[in-house]
């Protein structure tokens, strides 16, 4: 929902959730303002809200702070893996992070030349941070679906997809996205459904909310 929701309870019903997090991010130079509020969607009441004015270099800390505060507000019991996910910093290079986010956005749009553009952004992210496992996972998923949206042949795309997925797992075998990337190429590239299912199940075990 890109616009401000007019009716939070209806949106929550559509999404199948009990609480909704609204927010905005404003960037100016190396400063960022994150405005968030947590709403009980069942009765449309305000549970918590805050404004974070930080340096852009602190963006991962802000994300962790917000997630931890929401968990505390909802009295959620977090597993060790969930706590690790909240505090994880996928890259220390903010430019690489921005390239990754742009790639992810284009990958989600699918049509036109968005997939090749996404691949270019992922490759730029990896060039900035060669240990960026998420970027390799994104690259794998992009190459996996590239033949469906361009004239690229599966023979050219699928080996690149698999190599990127394997690299992502080598960098971080606890990354759910890396396991789903491998699962995807095992499914559509290798037609190995048993291993594909196993990888998807591993991803769900690592991150049950994914």
């Amino acid at each position: 929902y890109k616009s401000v929701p007019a009716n939070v309870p209806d949106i929550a019903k559509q999404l199948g959730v009990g609480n909704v997090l609204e927010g905005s991010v404003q960037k100016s130079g190396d400063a960022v303002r994150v405005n968030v509020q947590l709403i009980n969607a069942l009765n449309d009441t305000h549970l918590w809200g805050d404004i974070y004015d930080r340096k852009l270099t602190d963006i991962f800390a802000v994300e962790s702070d917000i997630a931890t505060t929401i968990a505390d507000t909802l009295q959620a019991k977090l597993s060790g893996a969930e706590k690790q996910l909240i505090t994880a910093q996928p890259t220390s290079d903010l430019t690489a992070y921005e390239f990754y986010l742009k790639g992810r956005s284009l990958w989600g749009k699918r049509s036109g030349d968005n997939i090749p553009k996404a691949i270019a952004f992922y490759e730029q992210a990896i060039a900035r941070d060669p240990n960026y496992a998420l970027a390799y996972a994104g690259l794998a998923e992009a190459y996996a679906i590239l033949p469906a949206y361009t004239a690229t042949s599966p023979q050219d795309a699928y080996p690149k997809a698999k190599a990127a997925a394997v690299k992502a797992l080598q960098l971080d075998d606890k990354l759910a996205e890396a396991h789903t990337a491998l699962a995807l190429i095992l499914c559509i590239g290798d037609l190995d459904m048993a291993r594909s299912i196993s990888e998807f199940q591993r991803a769900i075990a690592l991150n049950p909310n994914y």
Side-chain angles (χ1 to χ4, degrees):
Y1 297 90
K2 293 182 180 180
S3 59
V4 177
N7 191 324
V8 172
D10 282 350
I11 287 177
K13 187 176 180 181
Q14 291 175 36
L15 297 176
V17 297
N19 300 283
V20 171
L21 183 70
E22 291 183 345
S24 64
V25 179
Q26 295 172 299
K27 179 175 172 249
S28 177
D30 64 347
V32 63
R33 168 170 284 193
V34 182
N35 190 335
V36 289
Q37 55 180 333
L38 184 65
I39 299 167
N40 181 321
L42 301 178
N43 54 24
D44 204 7
T45 57
H46 185 271
L47 295 175
W48 164 80
D50 207 347
I51 297 174
Y52 296 80
D53 287 308
R54 302 283 182 87
K55 293 289 186 184
L56 193 58
T57 50
D58 295 331
I59 191 64
F60 294 118
V62 172
E63 290 178 0
S64 297
D65 288 347
I66 292 171
T68 302
T69 302
I70 291 169
D72 291 342
T73 302
L74 298 177
Q75 297 181 327
K77 293 181 179 178
L78 300 177
S79 67
E82 286 170 332
K83 289 178 181 176
Q84 187 176 6
L85 280 172
I86 283 177
T87 58
Q89 183 170 323
T91 180
S92 59
D93 189 309
L94 288 172
T95 301
Y97 181 52
E98 187 172 344
F99 285 145
Y100 169 77
L101 292 178
K102 287 179 178 179
R104 196 70 177 168
S105 175
L106 289 166
W107 180 84
K109 291 178 181 177
R110 295 292 200 273
S111 60
D113 59 352
N114 288 315
I115 303 303
K117 286 180 179 178
I119 287 172
F121 277 123
Y122 288 137
E123 288 176 338
Q124 285 179 276
I126 290 166
R128 297 273 314 188
D129 181 358
N131 295 315
Y132 198 173
L134 265 176
Y136 280 104
L139 186 64
E141 289 181 326
Y143 270 121
I145 66 170
L146 185 64
Y149 296 94
T150 67
T152 306
S153 70
Q155 291 84 357
D156 288 337
Y158 290 166
K160 293 176 181 178
K162 194 165 189 179
V166 169
K167 180 64 175 180
L169 284 170
Q170 288 173 345
L171 290 168
D172 187 354
D173 65 355
K174 291 184 172 59
L175 185 67
E177 288 86 346
H179 286 279
T180 57
L182 182 59
L184 180 61
I185 194 61
L186 285 171
C187 174
I188 64 176
D190 295 354
L191 302 180
D192 189 340
M193 302 308 163
R195 284 185 64 204
S196 177
I197 289 170
S198 177
E199 288 296 328
F200 277 125
Q201 289 173 332
R202 178 61 178 148
I204 292 168
L206 287 167
N207 184 2
N209 294 321
Y210 186 28

